[in-house]
Amino acid sequence: MEPQSKYTLEPADIERGRRSSAFGSALGFQTAGDVPANAFTEGNSLYAKIQRFAGRYNIEQRGIERVPEDERTDKHLMNIGTMWLSANMVVSSFAIGALGVTVFQLGLVDGVLTTIFINLLAITPVAFFSGFGARFGLRQMILSRYYFGFYGVKIVAIFNILACVGWSAINVIVGAQLLNAINQDVPGYAGILIIAAATFFITLFGYKVVHMYEFWSWIPSFIVFLIVIGEFAHSGAFHRLPMGKGNAEAGSVLSYAASVFGFGTGWTSIAADYTVYQPHNASRVKIFAWTYCGLMFPLLFTEILGLTVASASVPASTPELANPFYDGYDKAGIGGLLAAVLIPPLGRFGQFCLVVLALSIIANNCPNMYSVTFSLQVLGRWTQAVPRFIWTFIGTLIYCAIAIPGYSNFEEVLEHFMLLIGYWLAIYEGIALTEHFLFLRRKYDISIYATAAFLPPGIAAITAFCFGVMGAVLGMAQVWFIGPVGKRIGLPEFGGDIGFPLGFAFSGASYAILRTVEKRYLGR
């Protein structure tokens, strides 16, 4: 029989991490809001029983609570680099690069240059915030309380939930389409369930297993992409597409840049989640470097490869000439394009390579499904009362429920919606970086992370967020809507997307003013 504690700890009390008599007596010690592992299993509540059951199978019990220094056992900085290397060495990144040709009609030189310079900018916030996990032992959404306040961060968490669940659904549809293209006997829903089940199994066990999987999973994908390079070069189908000119070129470059930036910077809102078990004294410079390199290599490699291979998908100059790459892309999108590269020369081995690329979606979805749980727990006391691994299961069910009908009916609508809400990341970065450098000045009182009365009120942040939305709307150029500023760039019917820089500028500038007023009159 499990020993009963004199005190029963509620999840919210665990997070609060204060030195109240009951809490302190039950835990024995606290250091600036640290929550030791035994706090989750103390008492005889249903929560404690579920956590004890999870502990028997080495399932990570910790959610948004701060990680104590003596439990930060992940001392291998390489784990950080391979985490992002695997998450981006995937067919989704390849597809982003292919957009440069198939959607935006860019040439080789302008496409490659845009890919390089935009990624250099996009991943900088991800690498920057990655160091905060080791420094403070807090998840990214909890750190966001220092920028948006205890209650304001809930709005940010909702956007993050939509992003994690929505992109997981889109990614798993892409993987299922690849499996279906290889074998028509594998229906779309079966491919979705296969990829989702594998992702759930990995994320169920938490931080250590996610890192363990991501440490190796990039290797088979990288090998397949090398095979793609070899077979595509051997085919002689590469076209050196010329660079465009004038307003049309400007609009295309900006819109492609927005797609590249949104994909690369999308990890910002979960960056710190994957370093919380690193020791406090881990070098922030080295964490930044490992994160930056771990992101930069796969993004540049896969996106430039996608851009290059997509050059073969342009229609044949004369209708009589067959173009299997154009036909493949026209019938089955990116999956058809890759199939045209691999299957004719390699046969069944080429089909096997496509299966590997389809399963690479698992590495891309693991960070989404692991981190969505922390955004859910931030929403309220009752959501925190649900253990992390249960939220992982619920999140998996939700995105499968979206993906299965979306596979045949509204995949394109879903993707357009996700691109539309993606601008929130630039707004988030504008507010977070302004608070960090201008107001916090790199000084965080970690003991208050769960105390609403000591955190910023959040009025300035939410108001600035609205200004950021206004900036993004003015500059966006999406299928559903082209903003008045975006419409002035490029061709009127397509525009040029500057929603990300305007969202960042509007939110950052307005927050600097509003936060100054907020601190003067509210004192925090």
Side-chain angles (χ1 to χ4, degrees):
M1 180 179 292
E2 295 285 343
Q4 286 195 339
S5 170
K6 180 179 177 181
Y7 304 99
T8 300
L9 300 181
E10 295 298 327
D13 296 324
I14 292 176
E15 184 204 358
R16 192 171 293 111
R18 315 307 296 162
R19 286 183 180 272
S20 65
S21 57
F23 190 77
S25 299
L27 299 189
F29 71 92
Q30 277 298 317
T31 305
D34 284 351
V35 180
N38 65 334
F40 301 102
T41 56
E42 288 284 346
N44 203 32
S45 65
L46 177 62
Y47 176 86
K49 291 177 180 178
I50 294 173
Q51 292 283 29
R52 284 197 290 270
F53 175 80
R56 295 192 192 108
Y57 299 96
N58 294 318
I59 294 173
E60 184 186 8
Q61 299 159 314
R62 187 177 302 279
I64 57 176
E65 303 80 18
R66 187 178 184 223
V67 183
E69 181 64 28
D70 60 352
E71 293 180 25
R72 301 190 198 181
T73 56
D74 182 10
K75 298 182 180 180
H76 302 287
L77 291 174
M78 185 183 292
N79 286 342
I80 303 170
T82 54
M83 170 72 209
W84 300 116
L85 175 60
S86 290
N88 293 279
M89 186 67 72
V90 293
V91 70
S92 303
S93 307
F94 178 92
I96 290 293
L99 290 177
V101 172
T102 60
V103 174
F104 302 111
Q105 286 84 50
L106 296 181
L108 178 66
V109 174
D110 48 343
V112 169
L113 290 176
T114 302
T115 301
I116 293 172
F117 288 109
I118 295 301
N119 272 310
L120 287 171
L121 178 65
I123 66 175
T124 300
V126 188
F128 177 75
F129 284 112
S130 288
F132 286 42
R135 182 181 174 188
F136 302 125
L138 293 174
R139 312 288 184 172
Q140 188 68 41
M141 279 296 110
I142 296 299
L143 285 166
S144 299
R145 287 176 175 173
Y146 290 87
Y147 318 133
F148 291 86
F150 188 88
Y151 300 104
V153 78
K154 299 177 192 297
I155 296 175
V156 175
I158 290 171
F159 275 94
N160 201 40
I161 292 165
L162 289 173
C164 290
V165 172
W167 283 117
S168 293
I170 291 173
N171 291 338
V172 80
I173 288 173
V174 172
Q177 288 172 338
L178 272 172
L179 293 175
N180 181 257
I182 300 162
N183 186 347
Q184 299 292 325
D185 293 331
V186 180
Y189 72 86
I192 288 170
L193 293 177
I194 290 169
I195 296 171
T199 304
F200 168 70
F201 181 77
I202 294 165
T203 54
L204 170 69
F205 289 92
Y207 181 98
K208 290 183 179 179
V209 176
V210 169
H211 272 286
M212 186 185 304
Y213 178 79
E214 304 283 14
F215 188 87
W216 300 105
S217 67
W218 66 273
I219 297 175
S221 299
F222 181 58
I223 292 172
V224 171
F225 280 129
L226 290 178
I227 294 171
V228 170
I229 292 174
E231 292 301 330
F232 184 68
H234 184 70
S235 72
F238 169 67
H239 292 168
R240 187 181 177 87
L241 301 175
M243 183 186 302
K245 298 179 182 179
N247 290 337
E249 170 70 2
S252 295
V253 167
L254 287 171
S255 295
Y256 174 62
S259 299
V260 172
F261 182 87
F263 190 87
T265 207
W267 305 113
T268 301
S269 59
I270 63 176
D273 298 353
Y274 300 95
T275 57
V276 292
Y277 286 93
Q278 291 281 337
H280 172 79
N281 59 359
S283 169
R284 277 178 280 171
V285 173
K286 291 181 179 179
I287 291 175
F288 182 97
W290 274 106
T291 305
Y292 201 88
C293 294
L295 286 162
M296 181 56 66
F297 173 69
L299 287 172
L300 292 186
F301 177 76
T302 55
E303 288 175 9
I304 292 175
L305 179 59
L307 187 78
T308 305
V309 174
S311 71
S313 68
V314 296
S317 55
T318 57
E320 293 77 16
L321 295 176
N323 184 345
F325 301 97
Y326 171 77
D327 294 337
Y329 181 79
D330 186 54
K331 292 178 182 177
I334 292 300
L337 180 62
L338 286 167
V341 175
L342 293 172
I343 294 179
L346 299 177
R348 289 191 176 276
F349 181 70
Q351 292 179 333
F352 172 76
C353 290
L354 286 181
V355 171
V356 172
L357 291 181
L359 296 180
S360 73
I361 295 296
I362 297 170
N364 194 231
N365 273 1
C366 278
N368 288 329
M369 279 299 101
Y370 178 67
S371 289
V372 73
T373 59
F374 309 126
S375 293
L376 286 161
Q377 287 191 327
V378 162
L379 294 179
R381 291 173 65 94
W382 73 272
T383 57
Q384 194 189 345
V386 179
R388 177 203 62 81
F389 44 88
I390 294 178
W391 278 126
T392 301
F393 179 67
I394 294 172
T396 300
L397 292 180
I398 292 172
Y399 85 76
C400 285
I402 295 170
I404 290 173
Y407 181 88
S408 303
N409 300 318
F410 56 88
E411 179 199 358
E412 189 174 347
V413 173
L414 179 62
E415 189 164 354
H416 290 329
F417 174 72
M418 293 309 304
L419 290 171
L420 199 62
I421 70 166
Y423 298 98
W424 83 274
L425 289 161
I427 300 169
Y428 172 87
E429 291 165 1
I431 293 171
L433 293 173
T434 302
E435 175 68 26
H436 176 79
F437 287 108
L438 292 187
F439 299 102
L440 286 172
R441 297 178 181 176
R442 309 178 187 180
K443 297 177 181 178
Y444 292 71
D445 181 359
I446 296 304
S447 66
I448 67 170
Y449 78 86
T451 310
F454 297 152
L455 290 164
I459 299 171
I462 298 306
T463 307
F465 194 94
C466 294
F467 276 104
V469 171
M470 182 174 66
V473 170
L474 289 173
M476 70 171 55
Q478 295 291 336
V479 172
W480 289 349
F481 179 78
I482 302 176
V485 178
K487 191 175 292 186
R488 292 180 175 273
I489 305 169
L491 299 177
E493 61 268 32
F494 300 112
D497 198 325
I498 56 170
F500 280 101
L502 285 186
F504 181 90
F506 274 51
S507 61
S510 61
Y511 184 73
I513 298 169
L514 293 167
R515 181 69 172 130
T516 301
V517 175
E518 184 179 62
K519 291 197 73 170
R520 177 174 297 177
Y521 288 98
L522 298 180
R524 58 185 174 94

